[in-house]
Amino acid sequence: MASFETPDPENIRIITTLGHVDHGKTTLMDVLLAANNIISPRMAGKLRYLDSREDEIERGITMESSAVSLRFQVAGRNGDGNLQATYIINMIDTPGHVDFSTEVSTASRLCDGALILVDVVEGVCTQTISVLQQAWRDSLRPVLVINKVDRLIVELKLSPVEAYHHLSRLIEQVNAVMGGLFASARMEDDLRWREEREKRLATKKDQYADEGEGTANSADTFKEKDDEDIYFAPERGNVVFASAIDGWGFRVGKFAQLYSAKLGLKEANLRRVLWGDFYLDPKTKRVISYKHLKGRTLKPLFVQFVLDNIWAVYDAVVLNPNAEKVVKIVSTLNLKVSPRDLKSKDSRQLVSLLCSQWLPLSTCIIQAVIDIVPSPPAAQAFRLPRMLYPDSFEQGIAPKNKLEQDLFTSNLGPDANIVAYVSKMIAVPRKELPENKSRSLTADEMRSRGRESRRERSSEDTSAPLAALQGTMETLEIEGKADDEVILGFARLYSGSLTTGTEVYCVLPKYNASLPPEHPSNVHNLVTAEVEGMYIMMGRELRPVETIQAGHTFAIRGLGGKVWRNATLCAPLCTGIPQGSDVKYNQACLINLGGASRMTSPIVRVALEPVIPADMPKLVAGLALLAQADPCVETFQQQTGEHVILTAGELHLERCLKDLRERFARVEIQASKPIVPFRETAVKAADMPPPKSPNVTRGTVKGASSQNMVSFTIRAAPLPHTIHQFILQNLAVLRVFLQERRAANGNTLGETASPIEGGRTGMQDDIFYSPSVRPEQFWDVLEDKCKEAGGEWSGIADRIWAFGPHGAGGCILIDARKNVIPKSLRRRLLQERSVNPYGEEGGQDGQYDLCGHIETGFQLATFQGPLCAEPMDGLAYFVENVEIDSQAIQQEIVQNRLTQVTGSVISGIRDACRSGLLDWSPRLKLAMYSCDIQASTDVLGKVYGVIARRRGRIVGEEMKEGTTFFTVSALLPVVESFGFADDIRKRTSGAASPQLIFSGYELLDQDPFWVPTTEEELEDLGEKADRSNLAKEYMDAVRERKGMFVDRKIVQFAEKQRTLKR
């Protein structure tokens, strides 16, 4: 296929399937593929065509998103004489498991609409809410597909009226989620509008010199958004009732079309009343509402005309097989079924055959997508402004230049700018590329090859052995290359048309469009690349194309080594970058569409090493390939030299290890036990030992550098809950401040201490929070929180020296020195912005300013605490005194030994901070999973047993109305979660399956150094405290893994007599 284009861009749709795991997304895609003659209709739902990985087929769940482009002929309703219109539907099937939710966010960024699948029995689950939020964030137009309706008949055995009420409740639950999303967005827009209005009023106040006059002259009011279009309503056509496994589905409009002539009503009128509390009066044959029932028990129209008929088919075929009724149904509905199929013993196959002809699911879905989901030009008109201006509250944003004009209209013209967004990179074996696949030879090619071989045999050539050897070497080289992986970019073209061989700019996610391209921070984020090849993705296959037009998704080759995970491809013309042109003259075509948001943070860490040490280079290269091909994987090398991989969960880890062994590294790999993160903190407990330093406040530590040239006093104290929670909620704001400081210091390459790329809020393993305040409001709100805490905390906002660890964490360093202008992060930020009303900072340190070294010691201590070298959280350190011996330091400078002094200051501060934590009652904080399990009543006790054994706790249970299913919510420590999913499936015989989502850290209220001291404790536990200390177990396990000293008794119960037997 030379090009992939349609005559009319209005006939293109780009959609994705979203939903909870096992709600039928891949089965639905099978039905659509069968309608496009890619697979057999009989294999739809069984083949799972888009699950191409071996482990996907074994487990029966999708792990990687797959794309396919389908072409459909749809009967036209207009009177142009055009009876059929060709539509191209670009579809992306996404995973439903929480471990692979990043695949969902990368796919939804490219789409204009979404099919939201919900299992009619399981209802709204955790991932259903997550994907609805994702669709809302990306401004997708959703279509609700209520799947597995057959389960209401076959499993739950509900009557049609009960099923109608069950469906009504389900739609209400989904709409409640949509209403909550709308309400939160409305409040954010209102806040932005008020801030903008205050700025405008302040400007007018300066102009008019009178606030009252400024207010009187502002006639703007906040425009309310209409929430009518966001809800799902069957009468609007955005709800599909379906059974993907049986191949049938319908919208209310289908039955309105069937019954309108019979009832003598207009189709549009009947569509409005076919769902809801409307009834058919048997006497007058008129449609009445519930107000005119007058005590009569009539069935709603939806039950009478829709559900009763579907229930009758299932009753005659599956529940109470009756051959005569089946024949009658076939003749009444005018279906074509062979006598052999009618005699089939497989009742589900027969019901699928009948219903898929009567109510074809593929026709219903395609018609719903065409009606509800906008075409690329229409969708980009409202989606692109929100992507480019996410903080704007205005509903309609006019394009400001030609580039935005092309983007908002999906311009295809020859003078249009090329803009394509690459949402993720995918790895494909080189032999799978179409150009490398072996094809069968034609008769002419076989004859010409025979003539050449005969000519070679007849000619006596002395160099024949050498030529044969060269040919063998070339063959081996080609075969070796065929085993390699090729990196392709998965992209969507927003404007222009792209041709193979075109040279384009790759704008990386950190590119700042407000700065010129030659700015130091932009130089490394703008590269050029040549399009080496383009492919239309057809599930397991790739089809090469020469040209792609705007509005299509495609795979692109040529970005390997230049684009890491996502990028925006730009060019000023459809012919690409003009020869010899400078980037300064093409700046108008550059735009950054940003990166896809990550729904879950990777939490499971594993250290890897090859079985054969000589294979280490292969492992390192394989890890780099894996990190590029999987958007949710992080790989880095620890300070110990270990190569570590971070994954979203246990299942994700299994998939990554399988890919490394079989595809990317191709070596045998040993994986360590999962490395689980902890946090160290301290609390004020009732039974704490007396302070280590007498006659001073608890937590106070005095220290000094080598030869006592620098002496200092630091006091540790637990942070009040309000301040701590506020800091954790706004880690992203602290990250912004950190980047500002780096930029001011000329460090644009980032911190070397942090092994993770930008985009994370703070350290590894931190949970993602959306900030509660804007950066400009942070200090004022923090000041209010400090006043709320009271006591010594009320005035610390201007004395905060630094946050830690890594400059953005849950610990703070406070300058509490007297008679000194304090080191204030707030003032430094204002100073860097050249708006410093406080004057210059100073200190008693004079020319020997050791403030940077004190902060470094604090950062080191908070990054590796005293318990098991894990990051600290929830502690404040007050620097109360720093004294410097200037003469001694002057002598060290003369002898060129100042580095020894600064090094000892750093290590002294670090040790003091660690000792300050131990002066309180130390605690560990465990990483926790929130766990949602759907289980029937007969296995509920087994589920509770498994959770209790793994030290989890139940936080809620709810019974699904009309079913025997319970939804159990629990909290489970990550350290106890490995093997949890397999364990729960074994105990319940597969009847329950958990979804684990990282939910942050929780205090384990147990002192790891606790020993029995009182008479009651000694009497109960004995001197050795035989009952295990859980906190100490966790602490010792981490210390042992890190090679630290572990205080463990080798000989237990040595005083007891042992009798040795043969």
Side-chain angles (χ1 to χ4, degrees):
M1 187 162 58
S3 65
F4 192 76
E5 55 186 23
T6 51
D8 188 1
E10 294 292 330
N11 291 357
I12 303 172
R13 299 291 185 273
I14 306 177
I15 63 167
T16 179
T17 56
L18 305 176
H20 193 73
V21 66
D22 286 335
H23 279 203
K25 297 178 292 298
T26 307
T27 304
L28 174 67
M29 293 297 292
D30 268 7
V31 174
L32 297 176
L33 290 165
N36 223 239
N37 296 323
I38 294 175
I39 63 173
S40 164
R42 285 182 178 270
M43 294 302 294
K46 304 180 185 72
L47 185 60
R48 298 173 63 89
Y49 180 79
L50 293 182
D51 285 353
S52 52
R53 295 171 55 95
E54 185 182 338
D55 45 358
E56 286 181 326
I57 296 166
E58 284 177 4
R59 291 179 178 271
I61 62 169
T62 305
M63 296 185 186
E64 284 182 353
S65 54
S66 305
V68 66
S69 293
L70 304 177
R71 191 182 292 264
F72 290 96
Q73 299 285 340
V74 179
R77 295 184 180 180
N78 52 5
D80 301 347
N82 229 356
L83 295 178
Q84 283 194 334
T86 301
Y87 282 86
I88 286 185
I89 314 290
N90 297 300
M91 306 192 73
I92 305 174
D93 180 35
T94 61
H97 197 283
V98 66
D99 282 11
F100 311 109
S101 55
T102 309
E103 297 276 349
V104 176
S105 55
T106 55
S108 66
R109 194 72 191 270
L110 302 180
C111 299
D112 298 326
L115 298 174
I116 310 290
L117 277 88
V118 180
D119 186 326
V120 72
V121 175
E122 294 185 7
V124 177
C125 300
T126 49
Q127 281 302 101
T128 312
I129 297 171
S130 298
V131 298
L132 283 169
Q133 290 170 343
Q134 185 69 45
W136 179 270
R137 277 196 297 269
D138 288 328
S139 304
L140 305 186
R141 197 63 61 82
V143 176
L144 179 63
V145 180
I146 297 177
N147 194 23
K148 305 189 183 182
V149 178
D150 58 292
R151 292 184 70 186
L152 298 179
I153 311 170
V154 179
E155 289 182 26
L156 301 185
K157 294 187 168 50
L158 300 183
S159 68
V161 176
E162 291 171 336
Y164 166 70
H165 292 304
H166 184 90
L167 292 168
S168 300
R169 281 194 298 269
L170 180 56
I171 294 174
E172 284 172 11
Q173 288 171 8
V174 179
N175 282 336
V177 177
M178 297 300 293
L181 295 172
F182 175 80
S184 60
R186 163 70 178 75
M187 291 170 70
E188 287 178 12
D189 286 348
D190 189 19
L191 178 63
R192 291 196 200 107
W193 178 81
R194 289 180 187 281
E195 289 174 355
E196 292 285 334
R197 184 170 178 272
E198 285 171 9
K199 289 178 186 176
R200 288 197 299 272
L201 284 178
T203 310
K204 290 179 182 178
K205 180 181 176 183
D206 293 339
Q207 290 176 358
Y208 300 126
D210 182 15
E211 186 176 358
E213 190 177 346
T215 309
N217 281 281
S218 95
D220 54 349
T221 54
F222 182 72
K223 294 179 181 176
E224 289 283 354
K225 288 184 182 176
D226 185 12
D227 66 341
E228 191 177 342
D229 291 338
I230 69 165
Y231 296 115
F232 297 106
E235 62 269 20
R236 287 208 197 101
N238 59 1
V239 177
V240 174
F241 302 94
S243 170
I245 195 71
D246 287 339
W248 61 266
F250 64 90
R251 293 189 295 167
V252 166
K254 169 74 174 176
F255 281 90
Q257 187 182 347
L258 292 173
Y259 283 106
S260 57
K262 191 173 182 181
L263 295 174
L265 296 171
K266 289 184 179 177
E267 185 181 329
N269 294 342
L270 185 56
R271 189 187 301 121
R272 278 199 295 271
V273 298
L274 204 50
W275 175 266
D277 295 331
F278 295 98
Y279 308 84
L280 185 67
D281 193 324
K283 294 181 181 178
T284 61
K285 301 295 182 185
R286 292 174 63 86
V287 175
I288 58 173
S289 68
Y290 67 94
K291 295 179 182 178
H292 301 93
L293 277 178
K294 299 175 183 176
R296 290 177 292 178
T297 55
L298 299 179
K299 290 181 181 178
L301 288 175
F302 188 75
V303 174
Q304 188 175 352
F305 293 135
V306 181
L307 297 185
D308 277 350
N309 292 320
I310 295 171
W311 257 245
V313 172
Y314 271 84
D315 182 65
V317 180
V318 180
L319 300 178
N320 303 303
N322 188 324
E324 294 177 5
K325 282 187 179 179
V326 172
V327 172
K328 189 177 179 183
I329 289 169
V330 169
S331 61
T332 306
L333 297 176
N334 197 19
L335 306 177
K336 296 179 181 177
V337 183
S338 66
R340 179 187 172 191
D341 289 329
L342 284 173
K343 294 175 183 176
S344 171
K345 299 293 183 186
D346 187 351
S347 58
R348 292 310 295 260
Q349 176 66 34
L350 179 56
V351 80
S352 173
L353 199 63
L354 297 176
C355 292
S356 60
Q357 283 192 48
W358 175 36
L359 304 168
L361 177 58
S362 56
T363 307
C364 173
I365 293 290
I366 296 306
Q367 199 59 57
V369 167
I370 291 169
D371 293 345
I372 304 299
V373 179
S375 61
Q380 287 176 207
F382 68 86
R383 284 192 70 225
L384 264 297
R386 294 184 188 180
M387 287 170 66
L388 297 177
Y389 305 103
D391 294 332
S392 176
F393 58 86
E394 296 177 12
Q395 295 193 31
I397 299 175
K400 299 176 181 176
N401 48 43
K402 184 181 182 299
L403 176 63
E404 290 187 6
Q405 177 72 33
D406 292 344
L407 278 172
F408 294 179
T409 58
S410 186
N411 189 2
L412 301 172
D415 61 336
N417 289 280
I418 293 177
V419 178
Y421 178 68
V422 180
S423 75
K424 71 166 188 170
M425 308 299 282
I426 51 177
V428 178
R430 193 180 295 274
K431 62 184 178 184
E432 296 292 329
L433 293 178
E435 52 264 35
N436 295 338
K437 283 188 175 179
S438 58
R439 60 184 184 85
S440 55
L441 299 175
T442 62
D444 291 337
E445 287 173 336
M446 291 172 73
R447 279 194 290 270
S448 63
R449 184 170 288 190
R451 282 196 294 270
E452 286 176 10
S453 61
R454 283 195 298 273
R455 196 180 302 119
E456 287 172 3
R457 283 198 300 271
S458 61
S459 61
E460 294 294 331
D461 192 352
T462 55
S463 62
L466 181 61
L469 181 62
Q470 286 177 346
T472 308
M473 294 288 287
E474 286 174 6
T475 307
L476 289 171
E477 189 178 343
I478 291 169
E479 287 177 357
K481 283 184 178 178
D483 290 340
D484 294 345
E485 297 282 333
V486 179
I487 295 292
L488 303 180
F490 184 37
R492 170 180 174 173
L493 190 59
Y494 282 103
S495 73
S497 57
L498 194 58
T499 308
T500 305
T502 305
E503 191 177 17
V504 294
Y505 291 113
C506 300
V507 180
L508 303 183
K510 291 183 182 178
Y511 180 86
N512 188 348
S514 62
L515 299 174
E518 62 272 12
H519 191 275
S521 64
N522 279 346
V523 168
H524 300 288
N525 294 312
L526 184 67
V527 293
T528 58
E530 184 181 342
V531 180
E532 296 176 6
M534 293 186 295
Y535 310 92
I536 293 300
M537 300 181 74
M538 298 297 294
R540 306 177 184 185
E541 297 179 3
L542 297 170
R543 293 187 183 174
V545 290
E546 195 66 29
T547 304
I548 289 282
Q549 288 190 347
H552 288 287
T553 56
F554 61 101
I556 180 170
R557 182 162 59 92
L559 306 180
K562 297 178 179 178
V563 174
W564 180 239
R565 278 184 176 160
N566 48 60
T568 311
L569 308 182
C570 305
L573 298 167
C574 286
T575 53
I577 304 171
Q579 283 276 340
S581 65
D582 194 350
V583 68
K584 286 189 283 188
Y585 303 110
N586 296 326
Q587 186 178 354
C589 77
L590 300 179
I591 192 168
N592 186 2
L593 296 179
S597 61
R598 187 186 284 159
M599 291 165 67
T600 56
S601 52
I603 184 69
V604 178
R605 283 187 284 179
V606 166
L608 304 177
E609 63 177 11
V611 174
I612 304 171
D615 289 335
M616 181 59 82
K618 293 181 181 178
L619 175 62
V620 173
L623 283 171
L625 265 175
L626 174 68
Q628 193 170 8
D630 192 326
C632 197
V633 165
E634 302 284 1
T635 59
F636 62 93
Q637 189 172 8
Q638 284 187 326
Q639 294 170 351
T640 56
E642 291 177 303
H643 289 276
V644 172
I645 177 173
L646 272 97
T647 60
E650 199 176 358
L651 182 60
H652 188 209
L653 174 64
E654 286 180 29
R655 191 192 82 178
C656 292
L657 293 178
K658 181 180 173 66
D659 281 348
L660 274 174
R661 290 187 180 109
E662 296 179 4
R663 293 178 59 190
F664 299 130
R666 300 193 174 201
V667 295
E668 278 302 311
I669 295 169
Q670 284 181 344
S672 70
K673 289 182 179 179
I675 304 169
V676 178
F678 291 86
R679 293 287 183 267
E680 300 182 16
T681 189
V683 296
K684 184 178 180 181
D687 53 350
M688 289 188 294
K692 294 178 182 176
S693 303
N695 304 323
V696 292
T697 313
R698 182 181 290 277
T700 303
V701 179
K702 294 181 180 179
S705 69
S706 60
Q707 301 174 20
N708 293 324
M709 294 182 198
V710 181
S711 58
F712 51 83
T713 305
I714 289 181
R715 178 167 58 86
L719 265 177
H721 182 73
T722 51
I723 301 175
H724 183 221
Q725 285 303 312
F726 175 76
I727 291 171
L728 290 183
Q729 185 76 37
N730 294 282
L731 282 177
V733 176
L734 296 179
R735 190 77 174 176
V736 171
F737 292 155
L738 192 63
Q739 288 170 352
E740 285 182 7
R741 288 182 64 189
R742 286 186 202 157
N745 296 331
N747 180 11
T748 58
L749 297 177
E751 229 177 30
T752 55
S754 177
I756 301 293
E757 260 189 292
R760 298 295 306 269
T761 56
M763 297 177 300
Q764 301 166 20
D765 317 315
D766 272 333
I767 192 167
F768 291 100
Y769 289 110
S770 56
S772 60
V773 295
R774 296 182 177 281
E776 58 270 17
Q777 302 167 334
F778 176 82
W779 295 107
D780 294 331
V781 179
L782 178 59
E783 203 165 350
D784 294 340
K785 297 285 182 186
C786 293
K787 288 177 182 174
E788 186 183 327
E792 65 179 344
W793 306 98
S794 56
I796 66 163
D798 286 333
R799 290 180 169 269
I800 291 178
W801 190 332
F803 293 90
H806 288 326
C811 296
I812 55 176
L813 181 66
I814 299 165
D815 191 350
R817 294 175 293 174
K818 295 175 181 176
N819 305 320
V820 172
I821 298 175
K823 295 287 290 183
S824 171
L825 178 61
R826 183 178 189 177
R827 290 176 184 167
R828 269 179 285 168
L829 291 169
L830 286 170
Q831 204 171 20
E832 285 155 6
R833 294 171 184 162
S834 302
V835 190
N836 184 9
Y838 299 99
E840 290 297 319
E841 288 187 359
Q844 65 181 30
D845 305 348
Q847 61 182 356
Y848 314 111
D849 188 6
L850 298 172
C851 295
H853 305 295
I854 292 172
E855 184 180 338
T856 302
F858 162 75
Q859 297 289 357
L860 287 172
T862 53
F863 182 55
Q864 293 186 329
L867 299 181
C868 50
E870 289 288 308
M872 293 187 196
D873 189 31
L875 285 170
Y877 289 96
F878 295 84
V879 179
E880 295 186 334
N881 187 29
V882 177
E883 294 178 358
I884 297 176
D885 186 347
S886 301
Q887 292 181 353
I889 287 189
Q890 189 64 43
Q891 291 176 3
E892 295 295 314
I893 292 173
V894 170
Q895 296 177 11
N896 200 18
R897 292 190 304 194
L898 184 64
T899 52
Q900 295 179 11
V901 178
T902 56
S904 64
V905 168
I906 291 172
S907 58
I909 293 286
R910 182 195 63 196
D911 295 341
C913 291
R914 290 176 175 174
S915 300
L917 180 145
L918 295 174
D919 210 8
W920 295 86
S921 184
R923 294 286 188 273
L924 282 178
K925 294 179 89 170
L926 306 183
M928 301 296 285
Y929 276 135
S930 67
C931 172
D932 285 297
I933 307 169
Q934 285 214 335
S936 54
T937 49
D938 51 339
V939 297
L940 205 56
K942 295 175 182 176
V943 169
Y944 280 23
V946 174
I947 293 172
R949 268 198 306 277
R950 291 176 176 268
R951 302 192 175 100
R953 72 173 193 275
I954 308 295
V955 294
E957 61 174 22
E958 180 187 356
M959 188 172 186
K960 294 274 182 186
E961 284 190 54
T963 71
T964 58
F965 285 92
F966 273 85
T967 300
V968 179
S969 301
L971 280 174
L972 188 74
V974 174
V975 69
E976 302 284 352
S977 69
F978 300 102
F980 174 69
D982 288 340
D983 192 9
I984 211 162
R985 275 196 289 268
K986 284 176 188 172
R987 298 281 177 181
T988 62
S989 304
S993 184
Q995 287 272 301
L996 300 173
I997 303 171
F998 179 51
S999 66
Y1001 293 87
E1002 189 175 274
L1003 187 75
L1004 175 63
D1005 199 9
Q1006 198 171 357
D1007 189 340
F1009 300 117
W1010 179 85
V1011 289
T1013 52
T1014 64
E1015 288 185 12
E1016 291 84 358
E1017 290 168 350
L1018 287 167
E1019 186 178 345
D1020 183 27
L1021 301 170
E1023 291 181 7
K1024 297 185 176 59
D1026 294 340
R1027 189 183 301 165
S1028 64
N1029 184 335
L1030 188 60
K1032 190 173 190 313
E1033 280 182 20
Y1034 289 149
M1035 183 183 78
D1036 288 348
V1038 176
R1039 292 181 70 91
E1040 193 172 10
R1041 173 172 57 79
K1042 293 184 175 182
M1044 301 167 71
F1045 171 72
V1046 179
D1047 181 19
R1048 185 178 289 150
K1049 292 179 181 176
I1050 298 173
V1051 178
Q1052 295 282 351
F1053 312 115
E1055 72 278 7
K1056 291 187 179 179
Q1057 182 180 352
R1058 299 292 182 193
T1059 304
L1060 297 177
K1061 294 181 179 180
R1062 288 183 183 177

